[in-house]
Structure formats: C-alpha cells, structure tokens
C-alpha cells in the first residue's frame, strides 16, 4: 500500500513478488542477483491455472514440463532445489511411495531409504486417512529453514520425500547434476541464475494486463 501511494500505477504486484524473492534468496545465501522489472499483472487469477510438475513425475516428464517454460534439464534440477525449504503432506507420498508403490498393495518404493520409510510409516504417515495432512519436510528438518545444498545430499542418501525429487538421483541423466550440487557450493550461485530465468517466463509488459493498486484484487 505504501509503495502504491508513493509510485501510483508504476510497480506491479508481479514485480514485487520477484523482488521479494530476490531479497529472500540474498538474505539466506548472501548471493545477490539482478532482476529486470517492468512486469504487469494479469487480469485473471485462478488456482487451477497454476501448473507445477507432478509429485510423482519421472525425470523425462518433469524435463518436458520445464521445456515448455524454456528451461533446461539443468535448470530443472537447480530449481527443484527450492524444496530445501519446502514441506509437503503425507497424502502426497502415502500411495505412491509408502503403501502402494507401482500399484501393488503394501509395497514401498525401493528407491527410498528403508530407515526413512519406516520412520514415515510408523510416526509421520501411518496408513490412515487422518494422517493425510501431516507435514513432511522435503529436506533434513535441521536444515529446513536454510536455502542450501542439503536437499541434494538427502537425495544421495535416498531420503527424498517426493518421488519427483528422488528421481533426480535415480535417473542417470540427472544424477551427475545432483552430485555436482551436493558436493560443491555451486547451488549458491546457480539457484539465483535459474530463478532469474524463471522470473522472465510468460511475462506481461507494455499495455498488457494492468498494474494492480491492491495485490489481492483486480483494479
């Protein structure tokens, strides 16, 4: 609201989101990066329009999704590293990874570390509907608030929660990139670069859309 008072009709909500993301990444990693501004806001905002790679995607499926955004497989591996500060819920992994892998009743995904699978099934995600909304950390809990490369080290240990994440290490075409990010500090500077590219996908400029006066509603 204060920004709109000082610069009415100039700074879009889309730009605010991009700038806030940049500042959050910089605060967490110390790695600053440049972003371009001048985006405009869409006049349509519907949850079903949001497209994300599925939690059970194979690497080819996920790579195909990122290609529709003009992003490479390397970009994909780096951007999924955002899960280093993410969480999911038991309902996203119970069927595909814990209790019905491959459609077989009682089967657990063999790519998951057995100790982790046992912990999930015993304490976090028991096979009851009441556990569906229980929180599952996508990175080691001790590192869940840090934007670092711990996520990739978890994948090396077969401790990725989502299948789409663990598949990055199971699939030989992306394993080398996971190893690179886990074993070096390259994530620290590659992640901002990939975010900057993502921030320029399907952007509205010029007279397209609008610059919202209040971000929670259309003008």
């Amino acid at each position: 609201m204060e920004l709109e008072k000082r610069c009415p009709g100039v700074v879009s909500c889309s730009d605010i989101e991009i700038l806030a993301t940049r500042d959050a990444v910089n605060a967490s990693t110390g790695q600053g990066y440049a972003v371009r501004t001048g985006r405009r806001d869409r006049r349509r905002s519907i949850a079903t329009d949001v497209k994300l790679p599925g939690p059970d995607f194979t690497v080819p499926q996920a790579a195909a999704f990122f290609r529709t955004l003009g992003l490479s497989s390397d970009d994909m591996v780096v951007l999924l590293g955002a899960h280093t500060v993410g969480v999911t819920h038991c309902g996203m992994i119970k069927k595909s990874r814990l209790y019905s892998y491959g459609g077989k009743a009682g089967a657990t995904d063999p790519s998951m570390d057995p100790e982790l699978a046992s912990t999930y099934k015993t304490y976090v995600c028991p096979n009851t509907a009441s556990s569906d909304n229980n929180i599952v950390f996508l990175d080691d809990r001790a590192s869940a608030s840090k934007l670092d490369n711990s996520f990739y080290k978890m994948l090396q240990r077969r401790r990725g929660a989502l299948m789409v994440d663990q598949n990055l290490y199971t699939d030989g075409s992306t394993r080398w990139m996971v190893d690179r990010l886990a074993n070096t500090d390259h994530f620290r500077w590659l992640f901002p670069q990939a975010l900057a590219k993502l921030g320029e996908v399907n952007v509205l400029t010029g007279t397209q859309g609008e610059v919202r006066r209040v971000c929670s509603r259309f003008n």
Side-chain angles (χ1 to χ4, degrees), residues 31-146:
Q31 186 69 40
Y33 62 101
V35 296
R36 294 195 290 182
T37 55
R39 296 167 185 78
R40 289 172 66 85
D41 302 313
R42 297 185 183 277
R43 294 192 178 97
R44 172 186 169 102
S45 182
I46 301 175
T48 54
D49 286 345
V50 177
K51 305 299 181 186
L52 297 170
D56 301 328
F57 270 16
T58 63
V59 165
Q61 287 173 324
F65 171 84
F66 278 89
R67 279 197 302 272
T68 67
L69 305 178
L71 299 169
S72 69
S73 293
D74 287 354
D75 292 327
M76 170 188 71
V77 178
V78 173
L79 288 169
L80 285 175
H83 288 173
T84 189
V85 291
V87 299
T88 187
H89 296 89
C90 288
M92 300 295 286
I93 66 170
K94 282 168 61 176
K95 182 177 180 180
S96 62
R97 303 211 69 196
L98 299 178
Y99 299 107
S100 188
Y101 174 74
K104 184 179 179 181
T108 300
D109 185 350
S111 71
M112 180 179 283
D113 171 58
E115 181 181 352
L116 179 65
S118 177
T119 297
Y120 282 155
K121 293 164 80 171
T122 304
Y123 302 107
V124 185
C125 305
N127 196 18
T128 60
S130 61
S131 72
D132 284 357
N133 290 323
N134 289 356
I135 289 176
V136 175
F137 288 90
L138 296 179
D139 193 0
D140 183 87
R141 189 164 184 171
S143 181
S145 62
K146 301 175 184 177

